[in-house]
Amino acid sequence: AQTVTQSQPEMSVQEAETVTLSCTYDTSENNYYLFWYKQPPSRQMILVIRQEAYKQQNATENRFSVNFQKAAKSFSLKISDSQLGDTAMYFCAFMKQRSAGNQFYFGTGTSLTVIP
Amino acid sequence: EAQVTQNPRYLITVTGKKLTVTCSQNMNHEYMSWYRQDPGLGLRQIYYSMNVEVTDKGDVPEGYKVSRKEKRNFPLILESPSPNQTSLYFCASHPAGFMNTEAFFGQGTRLTVV
């Protein structure tokens, strides 16, 4: 079975500082995708960043970057120059391919507060 | 604009009164899912559908039904809602391909069963 673990239920960071959210996962698959989704108070689920497991290079999207350690099954999200708009719940997600269709698994979320 | 549309966004109902939450996507995606989000539990999959007339149970299907008569629509049906189904519900869709895919989510439906 696939599991996704986010061990930090809540975090806070000062505006303009850097924060790292942790995520670990458990799988026997060799090829899969990992995602970070952001859920602001509006409740909308927004894709932040995506990483393909067969790519060694860590994905980056502007102020957001990941540290993907495949052997350790770790996928942390780094937010640089934190902004008030980054305040949200962040979900780590794992996707594997199945004959019946791709299957997503989500972590329990980390609530991030950016302090002015 | 590519989107997944859920309705209603908020719903308060009484125990036992049948309800339907609608979901529609305009991206011609084959794959659609329903999730419920509860504090400390993250998103858990209720049901999913691989294509028209093809559905299967997710991790928490008890008390729910779905149908997929058209590719764009995937309603969630609670035939006899109970208070433990009070939750935030999300519909999601994504294409069948594995490369460069992502899940697209609706706006969420906050359901309260009293």
Side-chain angles (χ1 to χ4, degrees):
Chain A
Q2 275 64 225
T3 59
V4 180
T5 302
Q6 294 179 249
S7 58
Q8 305 151 315
E10 295 181 352
M11 296 188 72
S12 61
V13 62
Q14 209 69 35
E15 192 175 8
E17 297 294 309
T18 295
V19 64
T20 299
L21 280 57
S22 301
C23 174
T24 59
Y25 58 95
D26 185 25
T27 184
S28 58
E29 305 283 331
N30 190 49
N31 193 21
Y32 49 86
Y33 277 79
L34 294 160
F35 305 84
W36 279 98
Y37 278 88
K38 170 185 178 181
Q39 186 182 49
S42 66
R43 301 190 326 224
Q44 182 67 43
M45 292 285 283
I46 303 164
L47 178 66
V48 175
I49 201 164
R50 170 177 51 214
Q51 175 78 42
E52 298 157 87
Y54 65 88
K55 287 189 176 179
Q56 294 185 341
Q57 186 174 6
N58 289 326
T60 62
E61 288 287 342
N62 301 314
R63 298 182 295 107
F64 298 88
S65 61
V66 298
N67 183 5
F68 174 48
Q69 302 288 328
K70 190 173 184 179
K73 298 180 181 176
S74 171
F75 183 61
S76 60
L77 174 70
K78 186 172 82 170
I79 306 174
S80 305
D81 185 26
S82 297
Q83 301 175 359
L84 296 179
D86 296 334
T87 291
M89 180 73 82
Y90 288 82
F91 290 98
C92 178
F94 166 97
M95 185 191 79
K96 69 172 184 176
Q97 188 176 31
R98 300 188 314 178
S99 57
N102 302 327
Q103 184 68 32
F104 284 82
Y105 300 88
F106 289 86
T108 52
T110 295
S111 178
L112 176 68
T113 301
V114 179
I115 302 166
Chain B
E1 180 189 356
Q3 60 184 4
V4 178
T5 303
Q6 281 179 241
N7 280 298
R9 293 205 64 189
Y10 299 91
L11 181 58
I12 301 175
T13 191
V14 296
T15 299
K17 185 176 181 182
K18 180 178 179 179
L19 66 91
T20 299
V21 184
T22 63
C23 174
S24 180
Q25 51 96 1
N26 63 359
M27 295 167 279
N28 202 37
H29 288 164
E30 291 82 5
Y31 201 85
M32 297 185 75
S33 297
W34 276 102
Y35 295 88
R36 61 177 289 172
Q37 180 182 346
D38 301 289
L41 298 177
L43 278 78
R44 296 178 292 168
Q45 192 179 57
I46 302 170
Y47 267 94
Y48 61 95
S49 169
M50 291 75 76
N51 216 322
V52 176
E53 302 293 358
V54 183
T55 64
D56 206 350
K57 298 176 180 178
D59 297 321
V60 288
E62 293 77 22
Y64 304 95
K65 285 177 60 176
V66 293
S67 69
R68 188 92 181 272
K69 292 183 171 56
E70 304 166 283
K71 197 171 185 178
R72 62 183 292 125
N73 295 324
F74 190 46
L76 179 69
I77 303 157
L78 285 72
E79 297 221 324
S80 184
S82 62
N84 64 11
Q85 293 178 298
T86 292
S87 187
L88 176 60
Y89 291 86
F90 284 99
C91 178
S93 75
H94 60 80
F98 187 66
M99 300 299 292
N100 294 319
T101 191
E102 66 179 89
F104 295 83
F105 287 85
Q107 314 96 306
T109 297
R110 172 71 69 184
L111 172 66
T112 302
V113 184
V114 298

